[in-house]
């Protein structure tokens, strides 16, 4: 009877456990009893998996320029420093101080350059800047090397060789200061600032000249406390930076966009800064004001609406140029070496190539990336009267191959 009672209690306990598990939804786990065979338990080892690989960010590299590189990638120009160097459709157009009244053109298959234009009048002694496309060559000319007196603009039709004077402020002797110009197709956009005698008010004017039709009009004008300062151009917009009439570096300096489609200013972005650059679909500008050396450049892509910053190296960076893949500039006294240098920075991944001249007597000028080449002027002995200019063009592929990671460069012996 006692044994029967024990079996009954065990049976009731099992029933209660089953009812509890059914209500709670918990699975029933029955105890496992060892078998008489006691087989050895097998441990399943995890199969080895390859570790993920990540592409290392590209390193900044350095190329120490040498006489051998000059021999391989440069051609002789005229004597003196460059006041302008422009590449267009396979040809180089330059003006150098040894012949400051003339424009020379250099073609890849010709051993020497050809003079294609010079100032029409004797008082135009210094061609300061060029703008070139397939149809037109525009020359900004001063009558004094310090730009303290008058200026004029002359235009050469490259197809007909007809040269004309477009604007003349030498003879007019008005207090109109030239600031900037941009050429696109048949249109020349010309920026000046007029100071009225006896008045603190200044007038900024952007004129539009149709070179094919010989017409002109005032595109924009402003007499506010901010004056137009510099321009950049693309197929769709004219980008305009401003500067204050005073010299306050902390002043708010909004950058404007003039639409060629709507023919008016448009509020595309709320940005400020200086040194506007455009290469469609990209725009670039310095975050610093016009009275400061750039420290950071912002890049904006109109197609993707993405924007990102680039850090500018150098103590006195200048001669900035923007292409679709690179921002380039020079610094006459790069701080880590005290030698003039050319900087080329990729817009894709931010890596930088520095070309170090390794000599205070070699001065690079007007760097630009065109046709997959880094192009720049290089002046030897630029402090002396015997200075000689070269036009250098090194393919980007060769530049990347020849340059070395900065950490691997052995410092030169003093």
């Amino acid at each position: 009877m006692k044994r029967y009672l024990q079996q009954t209690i065990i049976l009731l306990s099992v029933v209660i456990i089953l009812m509890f598990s059914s209500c709670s939804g918990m699975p029933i786990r029955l105890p496992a009893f060892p078998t008489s065979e006691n087989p050895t338990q097998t441990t399943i080892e995890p199969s080895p998996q390859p570790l993920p690989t990540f592409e290392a960010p590209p390193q900044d590299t350095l190329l120490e320029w040498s006489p051998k590189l000059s021999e391989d990638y440069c051609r002789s120009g005229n004597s003196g420093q460059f006041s302008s160097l422009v590449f267009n459709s396979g040809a180089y157009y330059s003006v150098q101080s040894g012949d400051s009244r003339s424009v020379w053109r250099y073609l890849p298959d010709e051993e020497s350059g050809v003079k294609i234009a010079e100032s029409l009048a004797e008082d135009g002694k210094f061609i300061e800047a060029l703008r070139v496309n397939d149809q037109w060559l525009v020359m900004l000319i001063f009558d004094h090397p310090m730009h303290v007196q008058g200026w004029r603009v002359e235009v050469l039709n490259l197809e007909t060789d007809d040269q004309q004077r477009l604007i003349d402020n030498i003879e007019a002797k008005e207090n109109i200061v030239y600031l900037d110009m941009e050429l696109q197709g048949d249109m020349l956009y010309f920026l000046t600032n007029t100071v009225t005698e006896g008045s603190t008010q200044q007038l900024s004017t952007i004129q539009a000249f149709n070179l094919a039709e010989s017409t002109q009009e005032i595109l924009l004008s402003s007499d506010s406390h901010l004056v137009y300062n510099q321009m950049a151009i693309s197929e769709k917009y004219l980008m305009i930076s401003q500067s204050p009439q005073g010299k306050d570096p902390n002043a708010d300096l909004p950058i404007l966009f003039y639409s060629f489609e709507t023919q008016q200013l448009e509020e595309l972005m709320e940005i400020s800064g200086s040194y506007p650059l455009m290469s469609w679909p990209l725009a670039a500008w310095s975050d610093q004001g016009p009275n400061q050396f750039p420290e950071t450049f912002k890049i904006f892509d109109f197609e993707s609406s993405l924007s990102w910053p680039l850090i500018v190296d150098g103590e006195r960076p200048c001669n900035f140029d923007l292409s679709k893949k690179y921002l380039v500039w020079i610094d006459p006294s790069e701080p880590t070496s005290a030698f003039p240098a050319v900087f080329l920075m990729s817009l894709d991944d931010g890596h930088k190539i520095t070309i170090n001249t390794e000599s205070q007597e070699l001065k690079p000028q007007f760097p630009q990336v065109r046709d997959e080449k880094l192009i720049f002027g290089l002046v030897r002995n630029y402090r002396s009267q015997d200075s000689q200019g070269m036009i250098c063009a090194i393919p980007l592929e060769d530049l990347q191959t020849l340059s070395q990671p900065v950490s691997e460069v052995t410092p030169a012996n003093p």
Side-chain angles (χ1 to χ4, degrees):
M1 181 70 182
K2 188 175 183 178
R3 181 179 178 184
Y4 176 79
L5 180 61
Q6 291 176 344
Q7 291 178 345
T8 303
I9 293 172
I10 292 173
L11 181 62
L12 288 174
S13 300
V14 170
V15 171
I16 293 171
I17 292 172
L18 289 173
M19 292 176 61
F20 176 79
S21 300
S22 175
C23 293
S24 64
M26 296 175 59
I28 303 173
R29 296 183 180 181
L30 299 177
F33 298 94
T35 64
S36 59
E37 298 179 354
N38 289 326
T40 303
Q41 185 176 0
T42 303
T43 302
I44 301 176
E45 297 290 340
S47 60
Q49 298 293 329
L51 294 175
T53 58
F54 300 95
E55 184 177 351
Q59 292 182 284
D60 289 347
T61 56
L62 173 68
L63 176 60
E64 296 176 349
W65 199 257
S66 66
K68 181 64 167 60
L69 292 175
S70 294
E71 181 181 345
D72 292 342
Y73 296 106
C74 302
R75 62 184 303 166
S76 296
N78 289 324
S79 60
Q81 300 190 44
F82 291 87
S83 64
S84 193
L85 175 62
V86 180
F87 179 85
N88 182 73
S89 297
Y92 306 93
Y93 298 83
S94 71
V95 181
Q96 292 179 247
S97 57
D99 185 10
S100 59
R101 298 186 68 250
S102 303
V103 180
W104 289 70
R105 179 170 58 194
Y106 298 86
L107 298 175
D109 56 350
E110 295 180 355
E111 293 185 1
S112 58
V114 176
K115 182 189 293 188
I116 63 169
E118 62 180 4
S119 177
L120 293 174
E122 289 297 325
D123 56 1
K125 299 176 182 178
F126 304 92
I127 299 178
E128 179 63 20
L130 301 177
R131 298 291 185 269
V132 185
N133 60 22
D134 293 343
Q135 180 73 34
W136 305 100
L137 169 69
V138 180
M139 297 165 279
L140 172 69
I141 304 168
F142 284 87
D143 66 348
H144 191 279
M146 300 302 293
H147 305 170
V148 296
Q149 299 183 32
W151 49 266
R152 65 165 54 102
V153 177
E154 295 178 3
V155 180
L156 174 69
N157 188 319
L158 294 174
E159 292 186 356
T160 65
D161 288 331
D162 179 42
Q163 183 172 335
Q164 297 182 0
R165 188 174 300 172
L166 188 65
I167 318 171
D168 194 336
N169 196 55
I170 293 178
E171 295 181 357
K173 297 186 183 301
E174 293 180 283
N175 194 12
I176 301 177
V177 179
Y178 160 82
L179 292 177
D180 203 0
M181 63 180 179
E182 290 291 346
L183 176 65
Q184 181 170 264
D186 292 329
M187 301 300 298
L188 175 70
Y189 300 93
F190 198 80
L191 171 59
T192 58
N193 189 29
T194 303
V195 181
T196 304
E197 187 174 354
S199 172
T200 59
Q201 198 73 8
Q202 301 184 34
L203 175 65
S204 293
T205 305
I206 299 177
Q207 297 185 70
F209 295 86
N210 189 318
L211 304 180
E213 299 179 2
S214 300
T215 60
Q216 71 181 82
E217 63 175 336
I218 295 178
L219 191 74
L220 292 170
S221 62
S222 172
D223 58 359
S224 70
H225 67 285
L226 295 178
V227 296
Y228 302 147
N229 185 45
Q230 290 176 305
M231 300 184 297
I233 198 167
S234 70
E235 292 85 348
K236 295 186 177 183
Y237 299 103
L238 188 65
M239 186 177 180
I240 309 162
S241 67
Q242 301 184 97
S243 63
Q245 293 190 23
K247 295 186 178 296
D248 180 8
N250 298 317
D252 187 20
L253 307 169
I255 291 179
L256 310 175
F257 289 88
Y258 178 87
S259 170
F260 293 121
E261 181 179 356
T262 63
Q263 298 185 357
Q264 61 184 4
L265 292 173
E266 293 189 355
E267 295 183 359
L268 298 180
M269 301 179 276
E270 292 185 3
I271 59 175
S272 61
S274 59
Y275 293 96
L277 301 169
M278 297 197 82
S279 179
W280 188 260
L282 302 177
W285 64 95
S286 168
D287 274 341
Q288 286 66 50
N291 300 318
Q292 300 171 290
F293 287 111
E295 298 175 3
T296 306
F297 255 81
K298 288 285 184 63
I299 310 295
F300 179 78
D301 188 329
F302 280 94
E303 293 182 346
S304 66
S305 297
L306 295 176
S307 178
W308 62 97
L310 296 176
I311 302 300
V312 175
D313 286 352
E315 291 183 341
R316 295 182 292 143
C318 59
N319 285 176
F320 289 91
D321 185 83
L322 177 72
S323 66
K324 293 183 179 180
K325 293 184 178 181
Y326 295 95
L327 177 70
V328 295
W329 69 95
I330 68 168
D331 182 22
S333 57
E334 203 279 320
T336 60
S337 65
F339 296 136
V342 180
F343 297 93
L344 181 145
M345 181 170 285
S346 169
L347 303 183
D348 293 330
D349 52 34
H351 84 276
K352 181 176 80 275
I353 300 177
T354 303
I355 300 177
N356 193 331
T357 63
E358 282 206 313
S359 171
Q360 286 286 7
E361 296 305 320
L362 277 178
K363 181 179 182 180
Q365 293 184 277
F366 300 107
Q368 52 202 280
V369 173
R370 304 289 186 271
D371 287 359
E372 297 298 317
K373 298 183 181 70
L374 173 63
I375 299 166
F376 58 96
L378 191 60
V379 183
R380 183 186 294 113
N381 300 324
Y382 71 92
R383 288 190 178 92
S384 72
Q385 295 182 349
D386 299 327
S387 60
Q388 181 65 33
M390 297 178 287
I391 299 175
C392 304
I394 178 170
L396 295 178
E397 183 177 357
D398 293 0
L399 180 60
Q400 293 165 351
T401 300
L402 294 169
S403 57
Q404 303 177 43
V406 174
S407 60
E408 298 178 10
V409 176
T410 303
N413 294 325

